[in-house]
Amino acid sequence: MHDSLVEEVTRRPADHAESLTLGDPFDAEVAMGPVVNRQQHERIGGYLGLGVAEGAELVTGGSLADRPGYFVEPTVFLGRHDQRIAREEIFGPVATIIPFSDTADVLTLANDSHFGLNAIIHTDAAQARPSSAASIPASSSSSRAATFCSRWSMLRVPGISRMCGSRASNHARPT
């Protein structure tokens, strides 16, 4: 999230998270069910505490829901790319918003990862889209409405190679 938009835009996912109804996933009025088991419930709880301990700002949520079952409050953090909540796969209802200052900064953040499964660039700066998408080694890079697929579906850890066929584009291929 660009620095100039953080205050304005951070509230949107937080409001959405706060509006979600937890409960039986087979109930049409429920937006989110429990996590799969106690082990995952406890693992997510550990990450929630870790986010706060590492200095992320808790915007909303941040707790294991106080109710029977393995429910987790949908959580939004405002954090940094070097925090574990931003670098590791939590597999729970946790989002971390990471501010950046300019294109060079966001590309540095995007490329400072062991994962490279998908990259989405949403910008109004049309001239930056193709070059920015090509600067991130990921299996697919999206810039606004255009999607580019690299020749190999996984370029970093974990690494399973698969061709993207006719959708492969020179714009997203590493050089």
Side-chain angles (χ1 to χ4, degrees):
M1 179 68 50
H2 192 273
D3 290 332
S4 66
L5 300 173
V6 169
E7 283 188 44
E8 173 190 345
V9 178
T10 298
R11 195 68 234 158
R12 292 180 197 165
D15 288 345
H16 177 72
E18 291 167 2
S19 75
L20 297 175
T21 303
L22 304 181
D24 181 349
F26 295 107
D27 181 339
E29 301 298 315
V30 170
M32 185 170 35
V35 297
V36 68
N37 58 32
R38 184 180 64 186
Q39 180 182 358
Q40 184 61 17
H41 189 246
E42 291 171 357
R43 183 177 180 278
I44 295 167
Y47 275 105
L48 298 175
L50 185 63
V52 172
E54 287 186 340
E57 177 186 335
L58 180 62
V59 179
T60 194
S63 299
L64 301 177
D66 185 21
R67 61 180 297 161
Y70 303 123
F71 292 92
V72 179
E73 292 178 356
T75 300
V76 177
F77 283 107
L78 181 59
R80 299 183 319 270
H81 83 286
D82 62 337
Q83 295 167 327
R84 288 180 56 195
I85 57 169
R87 299 187 70 79
E88 298 178 12
E89 296 177 315
I90 298 173
F91 297 109
V94 181
T96 304
I97 297 170
I98 303 169
F100 67 90
S101 57
D102 56 33
T103 302
D105 185 27
V106 77
L107 293 175
T108 298
L109 295 172
N111 285 311
D112 184 23
S113 172
H114 292 289
F115 301 101
L117 303 179
N118 191 25
I120 299 171
I121 300 168
H122 185 81
T123 180
D124 288 330
Q127 71 279 5
R129 290 180 198 152
S131 62
S132 296
S135 299
I136 302 172
S139 64
S140 65
S141 298
S142 300
S143 58
R144 193 117 179 180
T147 299
F148 304 102
C149 206
S150 66
R151 289 187 66 123
W152 305 101
S153 65
M154 309 290 183
L155 297 178
R156 297 181 183 177
V157 177
I160 299 172
S161 297
R162 185 178 304 186
M163 296 296 290
C164 290
S166 62
R167 296 203 58 206
S169 168
N170 288 333
H171 296 290
R173 236 185 328 206
T175 56

